[in-house]
């Protein structure tokens, strides 16, 4: 570990990673990026082909999810493999898993199994629907939860079909919530000396992420519908056509609304009874949006974005992902980070959105090859070369 890596806030934490697919690896990536010694536990190559979920190990998805880790191959179904894992768990601070709820208990690596040998252990579980309840045994993935949570009911055009979000938002939300739960449990352990079981699910995380849309139903009895590119409640706010490219405009409050009227060359709209109040604008959204687009059609996007910026009205272009990463602010924020691939070439991954003043030069390491660190990790546990060779011969590691 380099001096820079030792300065990272989680460099004293060891994590055993039993996760696959996306939600679990998202949680572990947050810990790995901030310096935790993450041991990714995988099946020996002889027991699993190269086409496991996650795609090619050298591909962008796998590298983005599994960077900054070490890899240990281990067959948990083998009693000797399970015993080896228990030895590792005795040295660990955190275990993260996203098996279906019954699998970890069948394998004998659930929280109760491990807490008995390491009471300080923090054990994080991510499931589709929860560790208990009527849907406990059901399989579930991001797409299913986007529909079940109500997210798709508020996504898409008002007269169109429900629409999934263009990223796996339930997976990502659950992963980030799990990482936050682990950090909370680590703080609690510092005070009490005791570990605990951290649980979250794709369903719970996505319901939480509904935020004000959920609160509209729970508190006011309003069931939101789809609003397309318009904001569900604030008017005007959305994506508008110009003479060339569409732009997003988001005036908030009456003073910004009045400034927008000035920018558009229609100051009389500010006091027009159809538009003067938010309630009036909500009732006349279609007419107002059409009137705004008529004005915007007289000039290109760059013209309007300059005027809107000068008027201090939130606005921005509708970028492609390529254009987003070419943006000067995104470049300044270092959201694209280079790292050295195993073949020595330089590649680029998505950076961390969190900045800490004391750890500005966070290093990125490529995702490991399967079992690349098995022998070193076993040696750390006290296994000699002969014992390690025997474990390999039996496909235990």
């Amino acid at each position: 570990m380099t001096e820079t890596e030792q300065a990272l806030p989680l460099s004293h934490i060891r994590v055993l990673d039993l996760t696959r697919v996306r939600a679990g690896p998202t949680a572990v990536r947050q810990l790995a990026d901030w310096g935790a010694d993450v041991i990714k536990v995988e099946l020996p190559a002889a027991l699993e082909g190269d086409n496991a979920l996650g795609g090619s190990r050298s591909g962008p998805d796998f590298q983005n999810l599994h960077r900054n880790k070490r890899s240990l191959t281990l067959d948990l179904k083998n009693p000797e493999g399970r015993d080896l894992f228990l030895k590792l768990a005795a040295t660990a601070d955190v275990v993260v898993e996203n098996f279906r709820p019954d699998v970890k208990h069948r394998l004998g690596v659930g929280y109760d199994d491990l807490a008995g040998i390491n009471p300080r252990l923090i054990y994080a579980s991510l499931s589709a629907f929860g560790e208990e309840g009527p849907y406990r045994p059901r399989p579930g993935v991001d797409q299913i939860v986007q529909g079940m949570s109500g997210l798709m009911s508020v996504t898409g055009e008002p007269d169109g079909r429900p629409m999934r979000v263009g990223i796996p938002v339930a997976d990502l939300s659950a992963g980030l919530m799990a990482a936050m739960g682990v950090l909370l449990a680590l703080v609690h352990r510092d005070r009490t000396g005791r570990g605990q079981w951290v649980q979250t699910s794709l369903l719970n995380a996505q319901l939480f992420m509904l935020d004000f849309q959920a609160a509209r139903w729970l508190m006011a009895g309003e069931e939101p519908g789809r609003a397309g590119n318009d904001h569900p409640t604030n008017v005007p706010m959305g994506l508008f056509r110009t003479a060339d490219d569409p732009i997003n405009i988001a005036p908030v409050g009456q003073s910004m609304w009045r400034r927008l009227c000035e920018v558009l060359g229609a100051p009389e709209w500010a006091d027009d009874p159809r538009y003067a109040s938010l309630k009036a604008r909500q009732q006349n959204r279609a007419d107002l949006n059409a009137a705004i687009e008529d004005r915007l059609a007289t000039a290109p996007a760059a013209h309007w974005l300059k005027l809107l910026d000068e008027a201090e009205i939130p606005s921005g272009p509708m970028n492609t992902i390529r254009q987003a990463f070419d943006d000067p602010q995104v470049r300044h924020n270092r959201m694209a980070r280079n790292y050295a691939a195993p073949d020595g070439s330089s590649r680029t991954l998505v950076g961390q959105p969190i900045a800490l003043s004391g750890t500005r030069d966070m290093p990125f390491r490529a995702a490991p090859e399967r079992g690349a660190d098995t022998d070193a990790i076993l040696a750390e546990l006290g296994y000699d070369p002969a014992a390690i060779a025997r474990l390999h011969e039996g496909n235990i590691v």
Side-chain angles (χ1 to χ4, degrees):
M1 183 178 291
T2 67
E3 184 176 342
T4 300
E5 289 172 322
Q6 290 174 342
L8 293 171
L10 298 181
S11 61
H12 62 302
I13 299 298
R14 169 171 281 189
V15 179
L16 303 183
D17 177 11
L18 296 176
T19 69
R20 298 178 61 159
V21 194
R22 187 169 312 280
T26 296
V28 177
R29 177 180 59 194
Q30 289 302 102
L31 309 177
D33 279 3
W34 291 106
D37 175 23
V38 173
I39 298 174
K40 177 174 170 54
V41 179
E42 307 182 70
L43 277 172
L47 302 180
E48 181 178 55
D50 291 334
N51 294 322
L53 290 173
S56 167
R57 298 185 81 93
S58 61
D61 197 15
F62 194 95
Q63 288 292 318
N64 191 51
L65 282 171
H66 297 290
R67 64 204 190 196
N68 295 330
K69 300 179 182 180
R70 298 195 286 167
S71 173
L72 165 75
T73 50
L74 186 62
D75 181 7
L76 291 174
K77 294 181 179 179
N78 185 297
E80 193 169 355
R82 176 182 176 274
D83 289 344
L84 198 158
F85 182 78
L86 295 181
K87 291 179 183 178
L88 269 176
T91 73
D93 298 283
V94 180
V95 171
V96 185
E97 60 85 18
N98 63 342
F99 298 124
R100 283 167 66 176
D102 58 330
V103 172
K104 55 182 163 288
H105 303 299
R106 291 204 308 265
L107 292 173
V109 295
Y111 174 67
D112 291 338
D113 300 301
L114 305 186
I117 60 174
N118 184 356
R120 290 176 55 82
L121 184 70
I122 291 153
Y123 190 103
S125 293
L126 296 92
S127 60
F129 305 113
E131 294 295 318
E132 299 178 352
Y135 295 166
R136 177 182 182 272
R138 289 179 56 176
V141 295
D142 179 271
Q143 176 95 22
I144 305 306
V145 171
Q146 284 202 35
M148 292 179 66
S149 66
L151 175 63
M152 290 174 64
S153 77
V154 295
T155 307
E157 293 296 332
D159 56 352
R161 299 173 63 193
M163 187 72 65
R164 72 179 295 274
V165 177
I167 58 171
V169 63
D171 277 338
L172 300 177
S173 300
L176 294 174
M177 295 300 173
M180 184 185 299
V182 167
L183 297 177
L184 291 171
L186 285 169
V187 172
H188 182 264
R189 191 182 71 175
D190 284 345
R191 291 181 16 230
T192 67
R194 298 191 305 273
Q196 59 185 299
W197 189 4
V198 176
Q199 301 175 31
T200 192
S201 68
L202 273 65
L203 183 59
N204 282 3
Q206 188 52 67
L207 288 166
F208 178 82
M209 293 298 290
L210 292 178
D211 197 60
F212 77 96
Q213 295 282 53
R216 289 174 67 189
W217 166 247
L218 292 174
M219 295 186 65
E222 300 174 5
E223 187 165 23
R226 293 183 294 282
N229 287 317
D230 291 321
H231 189 276
T233 57
N234 195 69
V235 182
M237 184 182 290
L239 186 69
F240 297 89
R241 292 186 296 267
T242 72
D244 50 10
D245 299 320
I247 61 174
N248 280 298
I249 305 175
V252 179
Q254 286 297 101
S255 62
M256 279 194 191
W257 159 242
R258 287 184 171 275
R259 295 205 298 275
L260 176 62
C261 295
E262 295 287 343
V263 167
L264 294 173
E268 69 278 6
W269 289 357
D271 298 312
D272 188 315
R274 296 173 300 166
Y275 311 140
S277 68
L278 175 60
K279 183 176 181 180
R281 294 194 294 275
Q282 289 172 338
Q283 294 170 344
N284 296 282
R285 184 201 293 264
D287 290 343
L288 177 57
N289 283 356
I292 291 173
E293 288 195 328
D294 285 345
R295 297 279 175 160
L296 294 173
T298 62
H303 169 84
W304 294 114
L305 290 173
K306 181 176 183 296
L307 294 181
L308 290 163
D309 191 46
E310 291 171 351
E312 298 185 349
I313 297 170
S315 62
M318 206 297 294
N319 285 334
T320 64
I321 293 176
R322 177 186 63 79
Q323 290 169 328
F325 278 97
D326 282 342
D327 186 277
Q329 184 65 51
V330 175
R331 289 179 176 274
H332 176 83
N333 292 348
R334 302 179 69 199
M335 283 305 297
R337 296 290 301 276
N338 293 333
Y339 74 103
D343 62 6
S345 64
S346 179
R347 298 184 185 175
T348 309
L349 291 175
V350 182
Q352 270 288 338
I354 303 166
L356 300 182
S357 61
T359 53
R360 299 186 66 84
D361 294 318
M362 177 192 300
F364 274 15
R365 288 179 285 110
E369 294 299 315
R370 183 194 296 268
D373 307 287
T374 296
D375 292 1
I377 293 167
L378 293 176
E380 292 170 9
L381 286 175
Y383 287 81
D384 61 30
I388 293 172
R390 182 184 62 78
L391 292 170
H392 278 292
E393 290 168 3
N395 285 326
I396 297 166
V397 301

